[in-house]
Amino acid sequence: SSSLPSPYKVRPLERGDYGKGFLDCLRVLTHIGDISEKQFIERYEFMATQGKGTYYFVVIDDGTRIVGTGALIVEKKFIHDFGTIGHIEEISVLKDQQGKSLGKKVIETLNDVAVNVGCYKTILNCSEENEKFYAKCGYSRGSLEMTNYF
Ligand code: ACO
């Protein structure tokens, strides 16, 4: 997989990343709401303990702030010989950092994690406008997404 130019580094999400603008990076994607540092750390700790082996968040750090992020959620199944699949979620790159292959690097990193934890495939939902990006990352159109809001 491709390497990142200096000063960018790809690494797992850390509990100190609230202060490095992790949520601002996610805001590129969607509405986040008012999340305090305490709330962030509670969720982070949940994922690292009860959710161990399930939640893998990666970030791209430029040395001062988080400029890109993405997550792999691991699902263990009964079907397909007790198969494991990965869900790709929350891929987000700061607006002024888009088009520098950072998104692609996030996906490549999550692919490596998926293979290492035994996923036989990863799946994701995206808008039509992101289809070309994911196609360049090796994805092709799968099944239709259905949603039921509560
Ligand atoms: N249309 C066409 N091609 C694109 C697009 C696009 N919208 N976006 C990226 N590409 C191409 C690039 O040109 C590049 O091609 P190349 O390898 O031939 O040079 C390749 O895809 C990789 O692009 P990156 O530079 O790695 O993409 P970037 O870092 O800008 O990240 C991303 C792409 C994550 C979609 C970014 O634009 C973003 O954060 N958008 C807003 C949030 C969002 O919509 N996230 C995806 C939600 S879906 C989900 O999370 C499962």
Side-chain angles (χ1 to χ4, degrees):
S1 62
S2 61
S3 62
L4 277 173
S6 176
Y8 301 108
K9 287 214 163 59
V10 62
R11 60 166 174 79
L13 179 70
E14 294 170 0
R15 54 186 291 145
D17 286 336
Y18 182 92
K20 285 194 111 178
F22 171 65
L23 295 182
D24 291 330
C25 188
L26 280 181
R27 274 189 188 97
V28 176
L29 186 67
T30 190
H31 168 80
I32 309 292
D34 259 334
I35 307 294
S36 69
E37 181 159 20
K38 184 169 171 287
Q39 287 173 307
F40 168 79
I41 288 172
E42 274 171 16
R43 179 56 52 89
Y44 177 89
E45 293 296 342
F46 167 83
M47 289 173 170
T49 55
Q50 281 167 267
K52 195 171 168 59
T54 301
Y55 298 95
Y56 295 91
F57 276 80
V58 302
V59 297
I60 295 181
D61 187 335
D62 76 353
T64 59
R65 61 184 181 150
I66 307 304
V67 298
T69 187
L72 175 81
I73 316 300
V74 176
E75 181 194 0
K76 292 193 185 292
K77 290 191 166 291
F78 285 120
I79 61 170
H80 292 132
D81 298 308
F82 270 30
T84 302
I85 73 168
H87 298 269
I88 297 290
E89 296 278 347
E90 269 121 279
I91 306 300
S92 192
V93 172
L94 286 184
K95 203 109 202 150
D96 66 339
Q97 300 291 312
Q98 291 177 6
K100 298 179 173 187
S101 300
L102 300 181
K104 208 169 171 180
K105 185 68 194 181
V106 168
I107 296 290
E108 286 174 358
T109 306
L110 295 174
N111 284 348
D112 290 346
V113 177
V115 169
N116 281 334
V117 302
C119 295
Y120 73 94
K121 69 171 180 181
T122 54
I123 58 175
L124 61 85
N125 292 123
C126 73
S127 61
E128 300 261 348
E129 63 186 22
N130 286 328
E131 184 177 2
K132 286 205 170 85
F133 166 71
Y134 287 113
K136 292 223 158 146
C137 293
Y139 286 81
S140 51
R141 264 192 193 232
S143 55
L144 176 70
E145 177 193 302
M146 304 284 282
T147 308
N148 189 7
Y149 287 101
F150 297 108

